[in-house]
Structures are given as structure tokens and as C-alpha cells.
Amino acid sequence: MNSSVLRQYWSVLLLLIGLRLIFWLGAFPNPDEAYYWLWGQHLDWSYFDHPPFHAWVQGLFAAALGRSRFVLRLPTLISTGLLFGLYWVICHRLCERQARNAFWLTVLLFLTSPLFFLFSAMAWHDHWLIWFGTASSYCLIRFLSSDRSTSYPWLYAAGVLIGLAGLCKYVALFLGLGFLVAIASHPRWRLLFSTVHLYGAIVLALLVLTPVFWWNIQNEFYSFQFYLGRSVQSEASVINWLGPIGFLLLSALILGPIHVWALLASTRRGFTKPFGIAYQRVALIVLGTSTVLLALLSLRAPVLYYWNILAYPLSFPLMAVVFLNLHHLAKLRHPRVLKSTLALGTLAAVVLVTHYTVLPLSALVSETGDDDTRMLYGWNTVASAIEREIAAFSEQPLLLTTDYRSASALAYVLNDPSVIALSGRIDQFDFWYDSAALNNQSGILLGDRWHPICPAHLALFERTDPPISVAVQRWGVFIKTYDLVKGYDFKSTATVPHPLSPDYPLSFTSDGETCS
């Protein structure tokens, strides 16, 4: 243990690792985690909501190791390990004699940021996005800080890796734009625009993205249309002047307020060697470019704070440098600020883990609200109720729900990829909808107060039984109620348009949260 940071804060690190393990093993899959697991059971070139890389990995791991919470989130452990390995390399290049202290500070700052504690632990697309995006940034920095005549492989590696980041989420586009702005910011780097190598790296990135383009070509560009629609939802004349303020404040809060202070303070710490100079410049320009673009976008449309997640990973080693004492290896600068950062971040991690694994804290305040988290609880109870109702049918009935979230969670808990969502919102289930296979079958329809069973749902059956309510509680605290309806002779042929049709009977709202 030859790091003074590790000697001083090993207990905090163990606590944070323990909390991650409790979450990994204890939390029922978030509805989106189950949704992406289900994609892995329906392998395809790409998908409506996101590109395919995470789904491919989920399909591979499930096929090899089966279905469990450990297997579901095992890829997050691998990507986090790879990221920390890269931070080890970065810290040795940035800080040399202080490399070990810088590395452990980087790890602690990363794990105490609520944004990264959660998004690197959830089996969403983001954990792979973070790894590939950071690795691509490192390769570009190695190229920009080296003798160009011998370092072009780093540039091409950056192209491949940012392509892989794009195979995780479309927001990798903001990282790519940040790269171009960074290259344009330096006189020597700008010469790259006059060579074929930059364009060769861009072509490599686009080739990696071929599955996404192919899926969209096959499916009328539905995925691209979906994201363009999210970005320009408002009328051209409507400007939300408070949008950027809300986006920036929420981003700062979720990243960590003291993390933001350390990030700003890092701009005053200079580097003397080429790698450090290039690293700081690229990291700050990527951060600024992505943040400014999303803040401007928030003038026109709702922008979610985690769309900017690729702006921050390069910043953690820079934050760590703020706390290093360059003259005394065993001492740290701003020790009280560091302790406050770790205390606040650890407290946030405890709250998040409790909220996701023990009891939704919102349920202690009200019987409604925070619907996403409430949906994590009670699925064994729901599954038991559905299995009892299945026994009343002579043949296996269709399993249907009113929203992609409940359909995904039900599919996961029953280990049944055939579950279908019947919703007004376009989602991946609409691309799996097989009218001929569903027609004239009996089924069980699951709804809840968030996405209720509407008359339009019931009208899809020839007849239905009265609903059965299933209440979910945890430690004696009410969480939510589900409704089950048995239906007979499901109609899905020519008399009922396909879910992707604007005439689909459930298209009365875009989210299905209200009945017509």
C-alpha cells in the first residue's frame, strides 16, 4: 500500500465497492436494464431506441452464463475495470511521481460522483459508452501529443473506438464534434484537416456504425427519426430560455457540486510535457463543446442531463491533480474539501443503493410519484399471480402489458422473451409485433396506475374478464398496484392496424399514461 491516498481512504474505497456489490446483486433490473436484456434475446443489426452493442453483449452473456442479476451486470464490472486500467495509464503519464496517488484519487472521485456511480453500475448502454469514448479520447491525445509521422495508428484507433462508442449510443456524436473542435483549436493540429488520415479515421468510425445504418435502411429510418424528433420537438418560434439553466444546474448537481469545483480549479493547474498539455486541452474542449451544444439544444427541446455523460470522464484525472501536493508526496492539498467530497458522494451512494434495493424512499412520502423506481419492486408477487392465471387456460396465453417497461420486467422475471407491450408509444416491441401469430389467441394483460388498461386495450379482445388487482408492498409500506385482465380472441389482423400505423387504436397518446 505505497499510496498515501489509499492508506488514508481505503475504508471509503471498500465501502463504495461494497455498495456497488449490494446494488449489482440486490437490485431488481431497472425496467430499461430488463428492456435491453430482452433485446439480447432478439438479436438484430440494431434497435429502435439505441444502437446494438449493449444488446449483443447481453445476448452473448445470457447464452453463455444464463439469466441472473450477476450475469446481467457482469459487463459493467468488466467495463469499469477496463476504465480504471486506462486511468492507471493516464495518471502515470500525467503525474509520474504522484501517479499512484493521482490514480486512487481518480477512482474515489469517479465512484463518489452520483452520475458515474449509478451509470457505470446499471446494465444500460452508458457503461460501454463511457469506456469506448474515454479510450478513443486517450488514443487521440496520444496521437496529438506525439510525432505525427510515427503515430497515425493512434489516430485510426481513435476512429475505431469512437465508432464503437457510437454503437452504444448516438450521443457519441457530441464527442466526435468535440474532437474536431479540439483539432481546430491548435495551429499544428489544424494541419490534420489537410491530410487523408483524419478522413480515413472518420471513415473507419462510419464503417463500424454500418449495422446501425443497415437497420435504419431496413426500417424506414425509424431510429434516426426518433432522435431527430426528440431534438426538435418544439415549434421554431418557441424558445425556453430557462432550459440551459435547468440543464446546467442539474448536470452540476448530479456530477457532484464539489466535483464541479475541482474541475474548474483544474484549469489553473498547468502541465509542461506534451501529453499533459494535449490531455488538458482536449479534455476541456470536449467538455465545453458538448456542454455548450446541449445547452443550446435545451432552448428548443428537453435535454436530459445524462446526454452529456461523455463530457466528463477525461476530467477525473484533472480533478485528482487539484488535490495533489507537488512538493510533498504524502500530503494533499485541500484535505477538508476532499473529505467533504468523499462524504457527500458516499452518502449519495448509500441513498441510491437503499432506494433501489431496500425500499423506494419516495414511498415513505406518498403513495404516488417516482413511478420508475416503484416499478423495481414486487415482480415476484406479480409473476406468481400471472402464473396462477395461466393455469386457467388450456393453452399458453399471450402475455401482454401496457408499456415497454412492465413488458420488459415481466419478460425478465418469467424468463420469457415472448412478452409483448401494447402501448401508444413506439418502442422496440412494435418491431417484433407479428399480427398473424397473435391473432385469435387468448391472453393476460398487465397494467398499472402509471400506464393503465384502457377501453382501447380491452377492445382488442372479443371479450374480457373483470380485472384482478395485485398490490405490492415492501416492509409493510405500500408501493403500487397492478391490474390483470384475462382476454379472449385477440384481434390483430386486417381489422386492427399495425402498431407502427398512425391508425393503431392505442395511438391516442405518445406515452400511454392516459386513456383516450
Tab-separated table of all heavy atoms in Angstrom, residues 3 20 28 96-97 145 184 235 250 286 302 309 312 380 387 401 471 482 510-511:
chain	number	residue	atom	x	y	z
A	3	SER	N	0.650	4.100	-1.538
A	3	SER	CA	-0.029	5.336	-1.879
A	3	SER	C	-0.605	5.938	-0.609
A	3	SER	O	-1.370	5.286	0.105
A	3	SER	CB	-1.150	5.086	-2.890
A	3	SER	OG	-2.022	6.193	-2.960
A	20	ARG	N	-21.480	-0.945	-4.354
A	20	ARG	CA	-21.656	-1.380	-5.741
A	20	ARG	C	-22.058	-2.856	-5.795
A	20	ARG	O	-22.928	-3.244	-6.571
A	20	ARG	CB	-20.363	-1.161	-6.531
A	20	ARG	CG	-20.033	0.282	-6.838
A	20	ARG	CD	-20.907	0.840	-7.937
A	20	ARG	NE	-20.557	0.319	-9.234
A	20	ARG	CZ	-19.762	0.917	-10.108
A	20	ARG	NH1	-19.199	2.074	-9.816
A	20	ARG	NH2	-19.523	0.382	-11.291
A	28	PHE	N	-33.364	-5.394	-8.269
A	28	PHE	CA	-34.047	-5.986	-9.417
A	28	PHE	C	-33.744	-5.126	-10.633
A	28	PHE	O	-33.585	-3.906	-10.517
A	28	PHE	CB	-35.555	-6.042	-9.176
A	28	PHE	CG	-36.313	-6.741	-10.269
A	28	PHE	CD1	-36.401	-8.121	-10.290
A	28	PHE	CD2	-36.911	-6.020	-11.298
A	28	PHE	CE1	-37.082	-8.774	-11.312
A	28	PHE	CE2	-37.592	-6.653	-12.318
A	28	PHE	CZ	-37.678	-8.034	-12.324
A	96	GLU	N	3.398	11.091	-13.126
A	96	GLU	CA	4.685	10.428	-12.896
A	96	GLU	C	4.894	10.096	-11.417
A	96	GLU	O	4.331	9.129	-10.934
A	96	GLU	CB	5.817	11.285	-13.469
A	96	GLU	CG	5.700	11.465	-14.979
A	96	GLU	CD	6.792	12.311	-15.580
A	96	GLU	OE1	7.486	13.032	-14.831
A	96	GLU	OE2	6.961	12.272	-16.830
A	97	ARG	N	5.673	10.906	-10.657
A	97	ARG	CA	5.989	10.564	-9.258
A	97	ARG	C	4.725	10.463	-8.404
A	97	ARG	O	4.690	9.723	-7.420
A	97	ARG	CB	6.927	11.608	-8.656
A	97	ARG	CG	8.337	11.597	-9.264
A	97	ARG	CD	9.170	12.779	-8.800
A	97	ARG	NE	9.362	12.783	-7.355
A	97	ARG	CZ	8.931	13.743	-6.553
A	97	ARG	NH1	8.244	14.766	-7.045
A	97	ARG	NH2	9.156	13.683	-5.241
A	145	SER	N	-0.164	14.387	-29.206
A	145	SER	CA	0.998	14.745	-28.392
A	145	SER	C	2.276	14.062	-28.868
A	145	SER	O	3.314	14.198	-28.226
A	145	SER	CB	0.740	14.380	-26.923
A	145	SER	OG	0.545	12.975	-26.785
A	184	ALA	N	-9.124	21.704	-34.333
A	184	ALA	CA	-9.131	23.028	-34.947
A	184	ALA	C	-8.571	24.108	-34.034
A	184	ALA	O	-8.237	25.207	-34.498
A	184	ALA	CB	-10.562	23.394	-35.358
A	235	GLU	N	-41.935	24.030	-31.432
A	235	GLU	CA	-42.077	24.884	-32.606
A	235	GLU	C	-40.871	25.816	-32.703
A	235	GLU	O	-40.281	26.208	-31.705
A	235	GLU	CB	-43.361	25.709	-32.502
A	235	GLU	CG	-44.636	24.884	-32.519
A	235	GLU	CD	-44.873	24.208	-33.862
A	235	GLU	OE1	-44.366	24.733	-34.878
A	235	GLU	OE2	-45.547	23.172	-33.890
A	250	LEU	N	-28.780	21.015	-13.063
A	250	LEU	CA	-28.998	19.601	-12.772
A	250	LEU	C	-27.747	18.787	-13.088
A	250	LEU	O	-27.382	17.867	-12.335
A	250	LEU	CB	-30.189	19.082	-13.573
A	250	LEU	CG	-30.607	17.633	-13.299
A	250	LEU	CD1	-30.938	17.433	-11.828
A	250	LEU	CD2	-31.790	17.238	-14.177
A	286	VAL	N	-13.503	19.106	-25.177
A	286	VAL	CA	-14.592	18.128	-25.283
A	286	VAL	C	-15.701	18.476	-24.302
A	286	VAL	O	-16.895	18.470	-24.647
A	286	VAL	CB	-14.054	16.705	-25.032
A	286	VAL	CG1	-15.197	15.737	-24.747
A	286	VAL	CG2	-13.253	16.220	-26.233
A	302	PRO	N	-36.479	19.425	-24.560
A	302	PRO	CA	-35.972	18.894	-23.289
A	302	PRO	C	-34.662	18.132	-23.509
A	302	PRO	O	-34.574	17.275	-24.388
A	302	PRO	CB	-37.093	17.949	-22.830
A	302	PRO	CG	-38.305	18.392	-23.571
A	302	PRO	CD	-37.832	18.913	-24.884
A	309	ILE	N	-22.878	12.733	-20.731
A	309	ILE	CA	-22.043	11.894	-19.882
A	309	ILE	C	-20.633	11.715	-20.439
A	309	ILE	O	-19.684	11.513	-19.679
A	309	ILE	CB	-22.729	10.527	-19.650
A	309	ILE	CG1	-22.121	9.830	-18.424
A	309	ILE	CG2	-22.658	9.642	-20.900
A	309	ILE	CD1	-22.928	8.647	-17.936
A	312	TYR	N	-17.388	14.192	-19.326
A	312	TYR	CA	-16.714	14.236	-18.029
A	312	TYR	C	-15.590	13.224	-17.785
A	312	TYR	O	-14.705	13.502	-16.970
A	312	TYR	CB	-17.754	14.069	-16.906
A	312	TYR	CG	-18.949	14.959	-17.023
A	312	TYR	CD1	-20.232	14.424	-17.153
A	312	TYR	CD2	-18.828	16.347	-17.005
A	312	TYR	CE1	-21.356	15.240	-17.257
A	312	TYR	CE2	-19.951	17.169	-17.107
A	312	TYR	CZ	-21.210	16.609	-17.228
A	312	TYR	OH	-22.305	17.412	-17.338
A	380	ASN	N	-41.816	-10.570	-8.253
A	380	ASN	CA	-42.074	-11.976	-7.889
A	380	ASN	C	-43.540	-12.173	-7.522
A	380	ASN	O	-44.154	-13.195	-7.858
A	380	ASN	CB	-41.163	-12.397	-6.730
A	380	ASN	CG	-39.723	-12.536	-7.149
A	380	ASN	OD1	-39.435	-12.850	-8.303
A	380	ASN	ND2	-38.802	-12.304	-6.238
A	387	GLU	N	-48.834	-16.507	-13.085
A	387	GLU	CA	-48.710	-17.959	-13.250
A	387	GLU	C	-49.973	-18.675	-12.781
A	387	GLU	O	-50.383	-19.684	-13.355
A	387	GLU	CB	-47.476	-18.463	-12.497
A	387	GLU	CG	-46.168	-18.078	-13.209
A	387	GLU	CD	-44.945	-18.363	-12.365
A	387	GLU	OE1	-45.107	-18.550	-11.125
A	387	GLU	OE2	-43.825	-18.378	-12.918
A	401	THR	N	-48.602	-6.417	-21.816
A	401	THR	CA	-48.649	-5.339	-20.834
A	401	THR	C	-48.920	-4.030	-21.563
A	401	THR	O	-48.929	-3.969	-22.794
A	401	THR	CB	-47.342	-5.213	-20.028
A	401	THR	OG1	-46.387	-4.458	-20.769
A	401	THR	CG2	-46.754	-6.578	-19.680
A	471	ALA	N	-51.622	-5.955	-5.245
A	471	ALA	CA	-50.955	-4.885	-4.501
A	471	ALA	C	-49.527	-5.302	-4.168
A	471	ALA	O	-49.266	-6.453	-3.810
A	471	ALA	CB	-51.721	-4.556	-3.227
A	482	TYR	N	-50.914	-3.355	-9.399
A	482	TYR	CA	-51.021	-3.806	-10.786
A	482	TYR	C	-52.410	-4.390	-11.012
A	482	TYR	O	-53.057	-4.861	-10.067
A	482	TYR	CB	-49.966	-4.867	-11.099
A	482	TYR	CG	-48.559	-4.340	-11.161
A	482	TYR	CD1	-47.725	-4.390	-10.044
A	482	TYR	CD2	-48.044	-3.794	-12.334
A	482	TYR	CE1	-46.420	-3.906	-10.091
A	482	TYR	CE2	-46.745	-3.306	-12.393
A	482	TYR	CZ	-45.947	-3.365	-11.269
A	482	TYR	OH	-44.666	-2.887	-11.319
A	510	SER	N	-48.805	9.534	-26.889
A	510	SER	CA	-47.465	9.067	-27.257
A	510	SER	C	-46.827	8.229	-26.183
A	510	SER	O	-45.903	7.476	-26.441
A	510	SER	CB	-46.555	10.266	-27.566
A	510	SER	OG	-46.424	11.090	-26.418
A	511	ASP	N	-47.304	8.333	-24.941
A	511	ASP	CA	-46.663	7.608	-23.839
A	511	ASP	C	-47.574	6.591	-23.170
A	511	ASP	O	-47.117	5.790	-22.358
A	511	ASP	CB	-46.141	8.590	-22.780
A	511	ASP	CG	-47.230	9.541	-22.286
A	511	ASP	OD1	-48.423	9.216	-22.430
A	511	ASP	OD2	-46.875	10.601	-21.743
